Amino acid sequence: KQRFFMGVSFLSNGENKQINCKKSTVLWSKYSKNRRFCPQEETSIERRRCNFGDFGRKFCCPLLKSAKACYTINNCAAAQGFSAALPFGAVTRREKIMENKPKFYITTPIYYPSDKLHIGHTYCTVATDAIARYKRMKGYDVMFLTGTDEHGQKIEQKAKEAGITPKEFVDRIVEGPRGVKDLWRLMNISNDRFIRTTDDYHVAAIQKIFKKMYENGDIYKGEYKGKYCTPCESFWTESQLVDGKCPDCGREVHDASEEAYFFRLSKYAGRVRELLTTTDYLQPKSRVNEMVNNFIDPGLEDLCVSRTSFSWGVPVDFDPGHVVYVWGDALYNYTTALGFLNDGYDDYERFWPAD
């Protein structure tokens, strides 16, 4: 059975986009890819997952159905046409929040694209997807986030070995054939959003966060000397090593010394201890004593939060030569993907904290 496809065309530079609708031409703002409000009524669009079977399905403004202010998917499978404006993995949900609908925010870890993903990544993502689908069936307003953690020394080294730039390297893993997004399409994963830590809005937010912590006195410049595991991108003290090797992965470590910024973690030791011992924040409860005895009471050390020995990371805009340490960069993705300190999205007040 043949279907009639209406033309849908988008500019690829993120500027204004034009949609040729059934009866009129509608101009959308450059942020319509995130918010998709009906431009005539500022009403949210009911959007549905972009699957292979969705060709020709109409997407309509709920208040303008009588006017047939609808559009259809032109090329859903390829990364163009409608899918260029709709973030990968969008599922049925109204962007304009209905206050009487309970919210549910769930995320996977963001995966490190130093190579193709494997079955472990798939297991985690499918499990998260199952929970998200169940909550939607129960009537929740679900936000399901996944993505990739794309900075760090390991990525820089892998790219150098491949003879390409770090950005080209991660683009191949994430956006290329049989890459991360292709895998999630194959698995029919229903994530609402996909964040890459190289996304402009995330980078800008991390720079604001880092500067704010510095202005508040929570970050200071010093020098790091100790042991470093490149595969784990982790610093260790001599006492933390196991048989002289990384306690996490068992690989060799090497001496490292470089100028860096440090977060005053020791300043918050009392608050962290109180949080763990007086609330149910950490589950299972049996792990509380382990955390307190092994990490809190011996004394929390200040945390290294910038690097100068490589360049593939979020630049510290007030101190050229420093990049934000990959863990600090990646940690905030769960909030920046909702719009925290950026104008890419506007769901932070609705969905944070995660459930």
Side-chain angles (χ1 to χ4, degrees):
K1 182 179 179 181
Q2 290 194 348
R3 295 185 179 182
F4 172 71
F5 297 109
M6 298 159 57
V8 181
S9 61
F10 297 94
L11 299 177
S12 61
N13 60 3
E15 297 303 318
N16 289 338
K17 301 172 176 65
Q18 182 171 296
I19 298 179
N20 298 317
C21 293
K22 208 166 188 178
K23 288 193 173 182
S24 63
T25 297
V26 180
L27 191 66
W28 295 61
S29 73
K30 65 180 180 179
Y31 291 123
S32 63
K33 62 181 180 179
N34 300 330
R35 299 190 176 96
R36 278 181 307 289
F37 291 121
C38 170
Q40 298 169 4
E41 295 287 341
E42 284 297 308
T43 304
S44 61
I45 295 293
E46 177 98 3
R47 59 186 178 133
R48 304 182 192 279
R49 179 167 174 74
C50 182
N51 285 331
F52 292 111
D54 281 339
F55 289 108
R57 179 176 292 180
K58 291 182 179 180
F59 294 73
C60 303
C61 167
L63 294 189
L64 295 179
K65 287 183 179 179
S66 60
K68 296 182 180 179
C70 305
Y71 53 95
T72 57
I73 297 176
N74 182 34
N75 191 348
C76 174
Q80 59 186 7
F82 181 78
S83 59
L86 186 63
F88 164 71
V91 296
T92 303
R93 64 181 299 272
R94 291 189 184 278
E95 291 283 350
K96 192 171 184 179
I97 298 160
M98 295 183 293
E99 293 299 332
N100 62 343
K101 200 171 186 181
K103 62 96 177 178
F104 184 77
Y105 182 31
I106 189 169
T107 80
T108 67
I110 53 172
Y111 303 118
Y112 199 60
S114 57
D115 207 337
K116 299 290 187 181
L117 300 191
H118 51 69
I119 194 170
H121 300 100
T122 303
Y123 168 78
C124 179
T125 306
V126 169
T128 308
D129 180 63
I131 296 170
R133 290 176 182 272
Y134 171 75
K135 287 293 186 178
R136 291 189 195 106
M137 292 173 62
K138 297 290 287 184
Y140 284 77
D141 182 20
V142 173
M143 176 61 69
F144 171 15
L145 173 71
T146 190
T148 45
D149 170 12
E150 301 183 7
H151 291 123
Q153 188 175 23
K154 187 176 180 179
I155 295 289
E156 187 174 85
Q157 289 183 349
K158 287 270 192 175
K160 186 176 181 180
E161 293 169 4
I164 56 179
T165 68
K167 186 60 166 64
E168 289 172 329
F169 181 84
V170 293
D171 282 348
R172 287 183 183 182
I173 299 293
V174 178
E175 305 278 355
R178 299 185 179 182
V180 177
K181 289 188 175 181
D182 269 2
L183 177 59
W184 297 159
R185 288 189 186 98
L186 177 66
M187 301 299 297
N188 198 29
I189 302 301
S190 66
N191 56 294
D192 295 280
R193 289 189 189 151
F194 188 102
I195 186 172
R196 300 179 60 182
T197 56
T198 52
D199 289 337
D200 290 343
Y201 74 89
H202 174 79
V203 170
I206 294 302
Q207 289 177 323
K208 292 176 184 177
I209 292 168
F210 197 90
K211 188 173 184 179
K212 184 65 174 178
M213 290 193 292
Y214 177 74
E215 292 172 346
N216 288 346
D218 285 322
I219 288 177
Y220 64 93
K221 185 186 286 188
E223 184 179 20
Y224 179 84
K225 291 183 180 180
K227 302 296 183 180
Y228 184 71
C229 175
T230 298
C232 292
E233 305 214 26
S234 299
F235 289 106
W236 303 103
T237 63
E238 286 282 0
S239 62
Q240 292 174 315
L241 301 181
V242 176
D243 297 328
K245 297 181 179 180
C246 174
D248 278 354
C249 70
R251 295 184 177 95
E252 297 290 339
V253 296
H254 62 271
D255 292 323
S257 176
E258 62 183 270
E259 181 181 84
Y261 282 93
F262 291 83
F263 177 74
R264 298 183 192 276
L265 188 60
S266 55
K267 173 182 174 181
Y268 296 94
R271 296 190 198 179
V272 174
R273 193 183 198 285
E274 182 180 0
L275 177 68
L276 295 178
T277 57
T278 64
T279 72
D280 292 327
Y281 180 80
L282 180 62
Q283 296 291 332
K285 194 72 174 177
S286 59
R287 295 296 183 185
V288 170
N289 288 338
E290 177 184 335
M291 289 294 296
V292 171
N293 295 334
N294 294 339
F295 295 98
I296 308 299
D297 287 351
L300 286 177
E301 296 184 2
D302 291 346
L303 184 67
C304 179
V305 290
S306 81
R307 301 295 306 277
T308 53
S309 58
F310 61 91
S311 60
W312 181 236
V314 176
V316 176
D317 53 359
F318 60 85
D319 196 342
H322 286 259
V323 294
V324 178
Y325 191 29
V326 62
W327 298 111
D329 161 19
L331 176 64
Y332 285 99
N333 90 90
Y334 307 110
T335 58
T336 59
L338 299 176
F340 182 62
L341 293 182
N342 68 80
D343 57 4
Y345 294 99
D346 57 2
D347 304 300
Y348 179 73
E349 296 295 332
R350 169 62 172 168
F351 287 105
W352 189 256
D355 300 281

